[in-house]
Amino acid sequence: MCWGVSWKAPRHSEVLWGRGHWGQEFSISAPAAVLSVARILCPPPADFFPSAAVELGSVRKQTEAEVNRLEREKQLQAQKFSQMEEEAQVALRSRQAAHEEDVAHLQREKEALRRELEAEREELLRRLTREREELLAHHEAEKEELNEELTALQQERDESLLRAENEKQQALSLKES
């Protein structure tokens, strides 16, 4: 139960008012000293000072409005932060995908260049092998030709020597005869 003080009564004897356990209102007249203790223990109701209550209500409404505004601003900032974080993640994934695509492209180019160089090397090796074989065959044919010429020259020389010997023998035989 709460007791209140009526400020309308004379200063020497004031009225103490209150509500009982079952909600019934009552008031009691009492000396000022007793009622001053009641003022300390139970302050007057908020509607006792209407301008203070209005001002308190106004301040409360302003505070609630400011709290609501700050809550909305906080939510808005959280949404902005979340959106920025998501955009950053998307940008990062995009850069990673582009990087991976670049790496894959460079790998394909490198592999294509390796195959091209390998094909050129094999072609050069085949060409050089063919040229070497052609040169070997040419030199072998030339050697064979030179050997045949040498054999023919040796045979011609031998025949020439034999003829010269025969002519010499004939000339000696004619001289002796």
Side-chain angles (χ1 to χ4, degrees):
M1 156 170 34
C2 185
W3 301 91
V5 177
S6 170
W7 295 90
K8 297 176 186 172
R11 195 82 178 124
H12 298 351
S13 170
E14 297 184 12
V15 176
L16 181 69
W17 59 269
R19 263 184 211 273
H21 288 288
W22 293 283
Q24 73 273 18
E25 290 188 19
F26 60 88
S27 60
I28 302 171
S29 192
V34 172
L35 294 178
S36 67
V37 172
R39 282 189 198 110
I40 294 170
L41 293 176
C42 188
D47 62 348
F48 187 76
F49 300 107
S51 65
V54 169
E55 188 175 329
L56 184 61
S58 174
V59 168
R60 187 174 288 134
K61 283 181 185 178
Q62 288 175 351
T63 304
E64 287 175 3
E66 183 68 16
V67 166
N68 288 338
R69 186 187 67 76
L70 290 173
E71 278 295 322
R72 284 191 307 272
E73 191 175 316
K74 178 182 169 187
Q75 289 174 352
L76 184 63
Q77 291 297 326
Q79 287 174 347
K80 284 182 182 177
F81 176 75
S82 178
Q83 184 179 2
M84 286 173 45
E85 187 175 24
E86 187 175 326
E87 288 172 358
Q89 288 294 326
V90 167
L92 179 63
R93 283 192 295 270
S94 174
R95 281 194 299 265
Q96 281 180 321
H99 174 72
E100 289 171 4
E101 187 177 314
D102 288 346
V103 167
H105 178 72
L106 290 173
Q107 283 293 105
R108 287 190 301 271
E109 281 184 357
K110 177 183 170 186
E111 186 61 26
L113 183 60
R114 186 194 63 76
R115 285 192 305 266
E116 183 181 326
L117 290 174
E118 183 68 25
E120 285 180 16
R121 187 185 71 80
E122 288 176 5
E123 177 59 32
L124 181 62
L125 187 62
R126 279 193 297 273
R127 186 173 56 86
L128 290 174
T129 302
R130 187 175 60 243
E131 286 177 7
R132 184 185 62 136
E133 288 172 356
E134 287 173 1
L135 283 173
L136 281 174
H138 177 71
H139 288 301
E140 196 61 38
E142 196 175 307
K143 180 180 171 186
E144 186 67 31
E145 188 180 315
L146 289 173
N147 277 338
E148 287 175 6
E149 280 183 38
L150 181 62
T151 304
L153 287 173
Q154 284 175 345
Q155 190 175 3
E156 192 179 310
R157 182 201 62 180
D158 288 345
E159 287 175 2
S160 174
L161 283 175
L162 216 80
R163 255 191 322 243
E165 187 64 34
N166 278 343
E167 287 177 10
K168 184 178 170 189
Q169 287 293 330
Q170 283 177 357
L172 276 178
S173 228
L174 280 179
K175 223 181 196 192
E176 286 179 9
S177 31

